[in-house]
Amino acid sequence: MDLNEYNPPKEIHVGMADMKVAQAPIVLTSLGLGSCVGIVLYYAKTQIGGLAHIMLPDVDLVKNRTNRAKFANTAIPDLLEKLEKMGAERRFIKAKIMGGAHMFGFAKTNKVFNVGIRNIEKVKDILKDLRIRLVAEDVGGSYGRSLYFYLSTGEVRVRTINHGERII
């Protein structure tokens, strides 16, 4: 008998343009990522991690810059800073990314309108600049995703409609 069947870990939802950090046994969830990118950062030693649901690649593209969690170039450094304040050592933090779909047919051939691919590219560039190792990804395509980040293991369950479920 699995005790988690009767006492499942608490889930904390991370909405669009939002970020949260927590420690095991919490499960961080984000539902309905389309062109948005979900990024998780994980520090296995103390089972702490964070999840950001990023909408746009760069804060400099818009006038309203009040929500730093909305943009890849501000959300990722902020998420990293929160984990480091909780005791995480940057050199041992690992990243996984999900989402970045091209949800509108006309955007496939025009990179300007394909926010998904621009989000993916920006997230990867920022991780490289911050020297955070990207260990897994489930990105692209033309379908949405929901994700469940298990801080007890570092695994992310990615659910889709008509495209199955994966653990990364």
Side-chain angles (χ1 to χ4, degrees), residues 83-94:
L83 289 176
E84 288 177 327
K85 284 181 178 176
M86 292 175 72
E89 299 172 76
R90 184 181 301 208
R91 64 190 171 136
F92 296 114
I93 294 173
K94 296 178 182 171

Side-chain angles (χ1 to χ4, degrees), residues 109-120:
T109 58
N110 188 333
K111 191 175 174 183
V112 171
F113 294 110
N114 191 337
V115 177
I117 194 71
R118 290 176 30 230
N119 281 338
I120 294 165

Side-chain angles (χ1 to χ4, degrees), residues 7-167:
N7 190 17
K10 181 180 176 191
E11 288 187 8
I12 296 176
H13 180 68
V14 178
M16 189 181 304
D18 190 14
M19 76 170 73
K20 299 271 186 340
V21 295
Q23 188 168 19
I26 299 296
V27 178
L28 295 173
T29 67
S30 199
L31 309 176
L33 283 94
S35 60
C36 295
V37 168
I39 177 169
V40 301
L41 298 181
Y42 186 64
Y43 182 64
K45 184 176 180 181
T46 56
Q47 297 179 322
I48 59 175
L51 167 60
H53 185 139
I54 297 165
M55 289 178 62
L56 295 169
D58 198 309
V59 70
D60 296 328
L61 299 175
V62 298
K63 290 181 183 178
N64 183 350
R65 301 173 181 184
T66 56
N67 182 357
R68 293 175 56 85
K70 187 183 229 180
F71 310 99
N73 68 327
T74 50
I76 297 170
D78 289 357
L79 191 60
L80 178 60
E81 182 180 338
K82 287 175 184 279
L83 289 176
E84 288 177 327
K85 284 181 178 176
M86 292 175 72
E89 299 172 76
R90 184 181 301 208
R91 64 190 171 136
F92 296 114
I93 294 173
K94 296 178 182 171
K96 296 179 182 182
I97 61 173
M98 293 68 50
H102 50 78
M103 300 301 289
F104 307 103
F106 67 86
K108 288 182 184 179
T109 58
N110 188 333
K111 191 175 174 183
V112 171
F113 294 110
N114 191 337
V115 177
I117 194 71
R118 290 176 30 230
N119 281 338
I120 294 165
E121 290 172 355
K122 188 67 167 187
V123 165
K124 287 181 176 183
D125 288 346
I126 292 165
L127 289 172
K128 186 177 179 184
D129 290 346
L130 294 171
R131 295 188 175 98
I132 302 295
R133 192 165 64 123
L134 178 62
V135 296
E137 62 184 76
D138 184 0
V139 296
S142 58
Y143 53 90
R145 296 164 172 87
S146 291
L147 61 99
Y148 303 81
F149 178 27
Y150 296 85
L151 294 173
S152 58
T153 63
E155 292 180 333
V156 179
R157 181 171 37 130
V158 182
R159 285 186 172 173
T160 66
I161 296 175
N162 297 327
H163 292 279
E165 183 174 303
R166 293 181 58 195
I167 302 286

